[in-house]
Amino acid sequence: MITLDDIRNNPEVQELVVGAQNQLDALGYTEHSVRHVSIVSQRAGKILEELGYGKDRVELAKIAGYLHDIGNGVNRVDHAHSGAIMAYNILKEMGMPIKDRTEIMSAIGNHDEATGTAISDISAALILADKSDVHRNRVVNKNMATFDIHDRVNYAVTNANLSIIKETRKVVLELTIDTTICPVLDYFEIFMQRTMMSKYAAKYLNIWFELIINETKLL
């Protein structure tokens, strides 16, 4: 079985992750580098592991998480779709069985809120993991005077924790937002669609999505 370590050590994958970040740097987007894909990979795997899925499903979720943003190296627009095809071809060359690489392709192709939705356990875990990575470490632009709303909201988030509570079958995203930088309402202005996508992804896994901001339950 192809593992996450195999993916991390693949020179082609390494260059594609770097290339994707270089393009987003030029466009002024938030960080999508090794840091982001590693967090998404770890969280996607943890979600399925905590919910009792088998090791094979957990590993596929981790791989999907690590590869999900390589399409940004082509173009930010439709990056989920181009990245899905790129990942499929890489995994094919590495010898991954067709069923597994097809599932990863579908998960990556459906992770963007503009065109995607949860269509499998791997897809749902990827969506929850990806949309939960909101943090000031993702802000590339360090000049607060030139922040747009995406920079401001991400920079205001000083802590973001995603946890699974098995007893009540809940996935909880808990954020700490510095309201001297931006009001909580700004978070919903840019992340409402992502929040609803996360809620549906949780529903696909037969769990409940809960959002807590500054110790107040909002969803």
Side-chain angles (χ1 to χ4, degrees):
M1 181 179 179
I2 305 298
T3 67
L4 175 61
D5 285 340
D6 295 324
I7 300 301
R8 283 174 172 163
N9 294 326
N10 184 306
E12 185 175 6
V13 171
Q14 292 171 356
E15 287 301 319
L16 287 171
V17 172
V18 171
Q21 183 58 46
N22 288 342
Q23 178 151 258
L24 294 179
D25 285 344
L27 295 171
Y29 277 81
T30 50
E31 175 267 336
H32 290 70
S33 67
V34 172
R35 173 208 163 273
H36 172 64
V37 299
S38 296
I39 287 174
V40 173
S41 174
Q42 184 270 333
R43 288 181 180 176
K46 181 181 178 182
I47 288 167
L48 294 191
E49 184 177 20
E50 290 288 331
L51 292 175
Y53 284 82
K55 290 183 178 179
D56 289 355
R57 306 303 289 176
V58 170
E59 198 68 21
L60 291 178
K62 289 179 180 179
I63 292 171
Y66 201 84
L67 294 174
H68 80 283
D69 268 341
I70 59 174
N72 282 305
V74 178
N75 197 295
R76 178 61 183 173
V77 177
D78 289 333
H79 75 283
H81 305 153
S82 54
I85 296 169
M86 293 162 68
Y88 180 91
N89 289 327
I90 290 169
L91 296 171
K92 182 178 181 180
E93 291 177 1
M94 294 178 70
M96 178 177 281
I98 186 170
K99 184 179 185 300
D100 291 344
R101 65 179 185 260
T102 298
E103 288 214 57
I104 289 175
M105 177 187 70
S106 297
I108 294 174
N110 278 281
H111 86 270
D112 187 69
E113 64 273 11
T115 58
T117 189
I119 46 84
S120 69
D121 51 353
I122 295 170
S123 168
L126 172 58
I127 288 168
L128 287 165
D130 182 40
K131 307 315 172 191
S132 68
D133 188 24
V134 187
H135 198 276
R136 64 172 43 182
N137 288 341
R138 298 197 66 187
V139 180
V140 177
N141 174 23
K142 301 305 179 184
N143 183 358
M144 293 184 66
T146 63
F147 277 4
D148 62 13
I149 189 171
H150 291 85
D151 290 333
R152 190 164 65 251
V153 170
N154 275 279
Y155 194 79
V157 178
T158 58
N159 186 61
N161 182 58
L162 186 72
S163 58
I164 299 289
I165 304 175
K166 290 185 290 186
E167 293 77 13
T168 54
R169 295 195 65 81
K170 290 194 298 187
V171 56
V172 181
L173 176 58
E174 189 166 4
L175 304 176
T176 302
I177 295 180
D178 185 343
T179 55
T180 65
I181 298 174
C182 83
V184 171
L185 187 61
D186 282 3
Y187 174 88
F188 286 103
E189 182 177 341
I190 64 171
F191 287 139
M192 178 57 77
Q193 192 175 2
R194 300 181 192 183
T195 300
M196 297 311 296
M197 190 183 199
S198 296
K199 183 177 180 180
Y200 183 81
K203 184 179 179 180
Y204 190 96
L205 294 172
N206 196 30
I207 57 177
W208 185 257
F209 176 73
E210 188 171 287
L211 176 64
I212 299 174
I213 298 180
N214 293 348
E215 300 183 349
T216 300
K217 179 182 174 183
L218 299 175
L219 188 66

